[in-house]
Amino acid sequence: MRQSLVVGNWKMNGSYEANRSLINGIKQNIASVKNSEMAVCPPFVYLSQMKRLLKDTNIGWGAQNVSQQEPGAFTGEIAIGMLVDFDCKYVIVGHSERRSLYGESDELIAEKFATVQAAGLIPILCIGELLEEREAGNTEAVVKRQLDAVLNSQGVASLEKSVIAYEPVWAIGTGKTATPQQAQDVHAFIRGQISALDAKVAEKVQILYGGSVKGSNAKELFAMPDIDGGLIGGASLKADDFLAIGQAG
Ligand code: PEP
């Protein structure tokens, strides 16, 4: 049985005060979440606030990105050691917004994945197709290419200590969720690709679904055999919604 995991991706949202009230709201009712591990990924500058507010809880925290470089002359970048300093457990790599808005390639994302793992943190590798890729019947080819970039450079064993998030780009922030069956089909495909290389790793790796997950649709999605929780954008900014998603795990 894989542990259900629900991770909030706050994107570029939040403020010191808003975060405090959101985290307090989550902490107040976290006992209502019985079966999911919960984690939040705020903007970098709020990681110290998370460390302070969450240190005595079972809620984890992580970052939304990291540099693949060693510390040095890289203005505006964040090195992995800095995320270690703030006790991050997770680092999201390859979110579709990083791929599309900041030109991150499959190869760069594989480097970031390796950087996170080498420091003992858990990468959450995001993969997923654009609407036109789905409509052209290329969903499997796209997620295979994105997954292969990591498999070919890091090997299948690297996935054992990682999380994969399948996020169809057309479902992110659009209110348009993949149907549970659409999501399950791609999750099963991803697990099958891994299984062809190592059945034990495939059985173990958590594959989250992301794309307009809400309290009202999480249960159906998470009931699918290959969906092990969610990566949540908009709905992770409201304590009640985020908790309702956690309760669905
Ligand atoms: C995301 O940003 O990873 C995401 C899934 O966003 P939303 O839940 O808002 O679609």
Side-chain angles (χ1 to χ4, degrees), residues 7 9-11 92 95-97 126 165 167 171-176 209-214 231-236:
V7 180
N9 171 17
W10 291 3
K11 311 195 190 199
I92 298 172
H95 190 278
S96 72
E97 286 150 20
C126 299
E167 300 206 299
I172 298 179
T174 58
K176 221 177 174 187
Y209 168 78
S212 299
V213 179
K214 307 182 260 298
L231 181 57
I232 317 299
S236 72

